[in-house]
Amino acid sequence: MPSICVIPFSPFERHHLLLCELEDTMFVVDCGWPTEIYGDKQPVANSKTQTAKSLFANPRDALSSINWSRVDFILVSNYEQMTLLPYITEYTEFTGPIYATEPTKAYGKCVLEEGLWVTDSGLQRSSSYTGSASVASTSTLAGDRPSEEGQTTHTMPYTQQDIIAAMEKINDVRLNEIVAPVPFVQVYARSSGYCIGGANWTVAYKGHRTAFISTSAFATCLHPQEWDGSVLSEAQAIVFCDAVDPAESEDSEINTVPQNVQISQRINQLCSTAISTLKQRSRVLLIGEPYGVTQDILQVIAENAMSMNLPLPQFIFISPVAEHTVQYGNIMGEWLCAAKQAMLYLPEYPFVDKDLRQKGHLHFVRSLSELAIRSIPQGIWFVIASPRDTATINHFIRQWQQDAKQCGGADMAAGTGASKFSVLLYDDDVARAQSIVNRISATNEVTYVPVSQRLTHHAIEQCLAGATRAQHVLVPSHIYSRLPPSISNNLDFKLLEYSYLQATEIDLDTDRHLPLNIQKEMTQQLKRTGKQHAVVSGQLLLAAGEIRLERIDDSSTADSSSQDAETKAKSKPDTQVAEAVRPSIRMAANLDNYDLSAWTPERLASELGDIGLNAAAVDDTTDASSNKKKLVRITIPSGTATIRMHGGWTVDCTSVNTQWVVLDSLRQVLKAG
């Protein structure tokens, strides 16, 4: 019986790095690590010899304990979980493939470059920044350094060139596309609903599916493609990687109001404040990343301003990557929600940024130094700055406060916008947001409305009801403590917790919920006879992970006497069974797509042996003729299989695990031959 072992190497709740061992296969899910910590928001370390702060300062200590030469492949769920990927690809012995969706790769490059720009220079470099400044060598990582009160910023352990090299090694995959990184292992991604290109990965091994639920969202009112719940319904083992910290979700509204309603209300609250400020011809500072929810907020504000005939403000992004991340929304339309995808077939863009730019009301500025030499048209300023960009945030607040003090009565009467401004913040990282609020609120009012998309422990409890095949469910320890003890009694699976640097191993049992497939042809045949109910005699067959009902009796003689039917069944039982089995197995293995004429039992056994199976060509003992024909017999730990090649190819297996292994191997050999 195969088993999977999961070890989390990141002590942070919002960032994941899971090392998984599946029999002889080792792989990593996500490479997340924070670039800063705020206030008392420290990771929880289990080791008594390491403090949480030292763990944060040197992630190389965690990575050095992994034998990267044995890691076969890496799966990346979204662009927030890529922080350590350039270090892994460029400074460790890892040489395997990396899989991520196309948007994750594109956005991830921008997020990594922005993080490098922020932490390496403190946002003090000029517009000529190229990202090639030297950082810590591979033998030692630069430590953490204080930047603002209550904030510690981590220096990135790689350069711009390392980021480019890492991105070139990522294999793009589409949602639901099946790839095979190593023999007998298949992986595919389902939409997580969290961001453009966000994915939850499923790893299939010999008929056993393990789902890794990374940062996910059930909300359908935002622009990313909707959550795909099939990732839970088809898995035997489920590993939850991420959820909202219960300490940050004590607000009863989170648990009582539907997420769509809650998110819409909070975005409307932010937009209402912004519109009220714009009506007074005053300026707005929105603190948010130049991607994600910011695009939805920008859309609502711009549409409301135009519908109310307000003068459009000058929207200004201060970020070295915003021009790319904002444009990706219109470029990657197939990764958007259904409502946004429908707009691709209309003479308009899914997002308003294209229209704003054509009207001259959208500007992208890489840094403050570039802003000083840029010519921005007259009008009200609506500035968007990253929450990590403390230099830009502090600059505008100081500058606008000075303008307010110097503003005279005539200016206020004229409504020039210099007398008042609003600061909006929606970051759902409560620790980071609270640090920003504490820094600003002493001198200026801040409208803080957290817009949280991530799953809560209540959402996890609800979605587990759809895990119809689950036998084992793993959740982080901080979520496990919040789930009701009765959840394991109500659902048919084992609920386990996992903790930082603690190995959790589970057995992958045989799937107890194989689907029953009633042949379409059988249904059509009964329909032609006008029957709504009928007694059908048949045989249940196991084929490629599903149970098929193959009808033995012929419908044309269904009304004949039972004695004649019994006599007919006894006369040629082997022929009937063979005729029933043959089309179902051929369909399951897709053998009709291959040229089978050149294959002999000896050649097939040799080819299967070359890829690691114990296969041999032996005499068919069921053949009563003197010239016995050969068949191929395969023996593996989970059972045996027999391949008969005369009179049409048939495959008989003793278990579902054997069926999966043999059919996958057979397709591989036939395709190569």
Side-chain angles (χ1 to χ4, degrees):
M1 179 185 300
S3 62
I4 184 171
C5 181
V6 178
I7 307 176
F9 275 80
S10 173
F12 302 92
E13 296 162 358
R14 299 176 63 95
H15 303 85
H16 332 128
L17 199 161
L18 301 181
L19 177 67
C20 305
E21 189 168 2
L22 183 62
E23 297 290 278
D24 296 330
T25 302
M26 187 176 293
F27 61 95
V28 168
V29 179
D30 289 335
C31 307
W33 202 272
T35 57
E36 67 278 319
I37 54 177
Y38 295 84
D40 298 329
K41 189 65 176 177
Q42 300 284 349
V44 179
N46 291 335
S47 174
K48 296 181 180 179
T49 60
Q50 284 184 301
T51 64
K53 197 170 185 178
S54 66
L55 285 169
F56 169 79
N58 197 351
R60 188 172 66 91
D61 289 344
L63 300 182
S64 63
S65 61
I66 300 175
N67 184 358
W68 289 100
S69 62
R70 285 198 55 211
V71 176
D72 296 292
F73 58 92
I74 294 177
L75 306 175
V76 181
S77 302
N78 59 70
Y79 51 74
E80 293 182 353
Q81 307 298 332
M82 299 179 68
T83 311
L84 294 181
L85 184 62
Y87 180 79
I88 293 172
T89 60
E90 305 308 309
Y91 300 112
T92 70
E93 297 178 347
F94 174 75
T95 58
I98 306 165
Y99 298 100
T101 62
E102 179 188 2
T104 295
K105 178 179 177 180
Y107 278 98
K109 180 175 182 291
C110 295
V111 173
L112 292 175
E113 289 177 343
E114 184 186 41
L116 180 65
W117 183 68
V118 170
T119 58
D120 187 46
S121 67
L123 289 175
Q124 297 300 320
R125 74 176 69 232
S126 65
S127 59
S128 62
Y129 167 77
T130 61
S132 60
S134 62
V135 297
S137 66
T138 59
S139 60
T140 177
L141 295 178
D144 53 352
R145 57 179 174 80
S147 55
E148 298 288 336
E149 182 180 357
Q151 174 186 351
T152 303
T153 304
H154 174 64
T155 303
M156 292 297 181
Y158 44 78
T159 65
Q160 173 76 6
Q161 287 72 24
D162 296 332
I163 295 176
I164 296 175
M167 295 302 105
E168 293 175 350
K169 297 175 182 177
I170 295 179
N171 298 293
D172 297 348
V173 297
R174 303 186 66 83
L175 295 178
N176 308 319
E177 176 187 355
I178 299 177
V179 295
V182 295
F184 309 129
V185 175
Q186 295 178 327
V187 299
Y188 54 89
R190 306 287 196 202
S191 175
S192 68
Y194 177 70
C195 60
I196 297 180
N200 291 320
W201 289 96
T202 296
V203 179
Y205 175 72
K206 296 183 179 179
H208 304 283
R209 292 179 175 87
T210 303
F212 294 87
I213 311 302
S214 185
T215 314
S216 301
F218 291 164
T220 58
C221 59
L222 300 177
H223 65 271
Q225 188 169 345
E226 294 85 353
W227 152 275
D228 187 348
S230 64
V231 68
L232 294 176
S233 60
E234 62 194 10
Q236 288 89 50
I238 302 173
V239 181
F240 283 92
C241 308
D242 182 273
V244 176
D245 181 0
E248 299 178 356
S249 61
E250 294 299 332
D251 187 357
S252 59
E253 180 183 330
I254 294 181
N255 303 325
T256 59
V257 179
Q259 192 175 33
N260 271 340
V261 176
Q262 176 200 137
I263 291 178
S264 298
Q265 288 177 346
R266 298 194 171 190
I267 289 180
N268 289 336
Q269 183 179 347
L270 283 169
C271 295
S272 177
T273 303
I275 291 296
S276 297
T277 305
L278 295 176
K279 283 182 178 179
Q280 302 176 26
R281 300 186 58 82
S282 299
R283 296 170 291 195
V284 179
L285 172 62
L286 175 64
I287 302 175
E289 303 288 1
Y291 42 81
V293 180
T294 298
Q295 292 182 270
D296 297 286
I297 295 175
L298 180 66
Q299 182 93 10
V300 175
I301 292 175
E303 290 177 349
N304 275 272
M306 288 185 286
S307 65
M308 299 173 66
N309 293 322
L310 295 177
L312 271 179
Q314 298 295 335
F315 294 96
I316 306 171
F317 280 89
I318 311 293
S319 169
V321 299
E323 186 168 10
H324 296 292
T325 58
V326 173
Q327 290 177 350
Y328 285 153
N330 288 319
I331 295 174
M332 300 179 177
E334 68 273 21
W335 299 89
L336 302 177
C337 64
K340 293 290 187 183
Q341 287 190 31
M343 299 179 67
L344 298 175
Y345 304 99
L346 301 175
E348 55 184 286
Y349 293 95
F351 293 97
V352 74
D353 58 273
K354 192 77 173 181
D355 187 36
L356 290 176
R357 197 165 190 179
Q358 291 175 350
K359 294 179 178 179
H361 285 267
L362 182 61
H363 312 274
F364 299 99
V365 181
R366 294 177 57 85
S367 63
L368 288 174
S369 56
E370 181 178 329
L371 180 63
I373 60 175
R374 282 281 295 272
S375 176
I376 305 296
Q378 291 290 330
I380 306 168
W381 278 23
F382 190 109
V383 178
I384 301 99
S386 169
R388 294 180 291 178
D389 188 348
T390 55
T392 296
I393 295 173
N394 293 340
H395 166 79
F396 279 104
I397 290 178
R398 285 196 302 264
Q399 183 64 46
W400 291 354
Q401 285 175 345
Q402 292 177 4
D403 292 344
K405 292 179 181 179
Q406 297 172 1
C407 180
D411 296 325
M412 295 179 64
T416 60
S419 60
K420 181 184 178 182
F421 64 92
S422 295
V423 180
L424 309 180
L425 176 63
Y426 70 86
D427 195 351
D428 70 335
D429 187 338
V430 175
R432 178 168 65 180
Q434 194 60 51
S435 174
I436 297 173
V437 171
N438 293 340
R439 189 171 66 248
I440 300 175
S441 59
T443 57
N444 195 83
E445 182 179 352
V446 181
T447 302
Y448 173 46
V449 183
V451 180
S452 179
Q453 303 170 251
R454 299 157 60 218
L455 298 180
T456 64
H457 58 284
H458 289 276
I460 291 178
E461 181 182 355
Q462 294 172 5
C463 70
L464 285 178
T468 55
R469 299 190 192 178
Q471 300 171 23
H472 305 276
V473 175
L474 274 64
V475 296
S477 56
H478 69 278
I479 297 298
Y480 181 85
S481 61
R482 293 286 176 150
L483 293 174
S486 59
I487 187 172
S488 297
N489 300 329
N490 298 334
L491 301 174
D492 187 21
F493 57 72
K494 297 178 182 177
L495 186 65
L496 306 172
E497 66 174 318
Y498 65 89
S499 305
Y500 172 59
L501 292 182
Q502 300 296 312
T504 304
E505 185 173 1
I506 57 175
D507 294 327
L508 300 177
D509 304 330
T510 302
D511 190 358
R512 300 188 298 266
H513 303 277
L514 291 175
L516 176 62
N517 183 2
I518 299 179
Q519 291 261 27
K520 181 179 179 181
E521 294 80 4
M522 182 188 306
T523 306
Q524 292 176 343
Q525 191 174 28
L526 292 175
K527 185 177 180 179
R528 285 197 300 268
T529 61
K531 295 181 179 180
Q532 295 182 347
H533 305 280
V535 177
V536 178
S537 300
Q539 184 175 3
L540 294 177
L541 301 175
L542 189 62
E546 67 178 12
I547 300 175
R548 300 177 62 88
L549 176 62
E550 296 290 349
R551 192 177 184 187
I552 294 178
D553 61 316
D554 186 76
S555 61
S556 62
T557 60
D559 296 332
S560 62
S561 64
S562 59
Q563 182 177 0
D564 293 340
E566 183 178 358
T567 303
K568 183 178 180 180
K570 290 182 178 180
S571 62
K572 297 173 66 178
D574 294 339
T575 303
Q576 289 178 340
V577 173
E579 291 298 321
V581 173
R582 192 170 290 119
S584 67
I585 297 300
R586 179 177 297 137
M587 184 184 302
N590 292 326
L591 301 186
D592 292 334
N593 298 328
Y594 305 101
D595 182 12
L596 307 179
S597 59
W599 288 90
T600 63
E602 291 78 9
R603 179 190 173 190
L604 181 61
S606 176
E607 295 285 348
L608 291 173
D610 290 342
I611 63 173
L613 293 184
N614 182 12
V618 299
D619 292 334
D620 187 355
T621 57
T622 63
D623 189 356
S625 63
S626 57
N627 185 19
K628 294 185 180 296
K629 295 181 172 59
K630 295 282 188 179
L631 55 80
V632 178
R633 182 161 295 154
I634 303 170
T635 303
I636 61 177
S638 61
T640 60
T642 301
I643 303 177
R644 290 181 173 84
M645 305 169 61
H646 49 276
W649 285 45
T650 61
V651 183
D652 298 320
C653 300
T654 59
S655 69
V656 63
N657 290 342
T658 307
Q659 185 78 59
W660 277 103
V661 174
V662 171
L663 290 180
D664 287 345
S665 303
L666 191 58
R667 283 192 289 266
Q668 180 181 347
V669 168
L670 294 177
K671 184 177 181 180

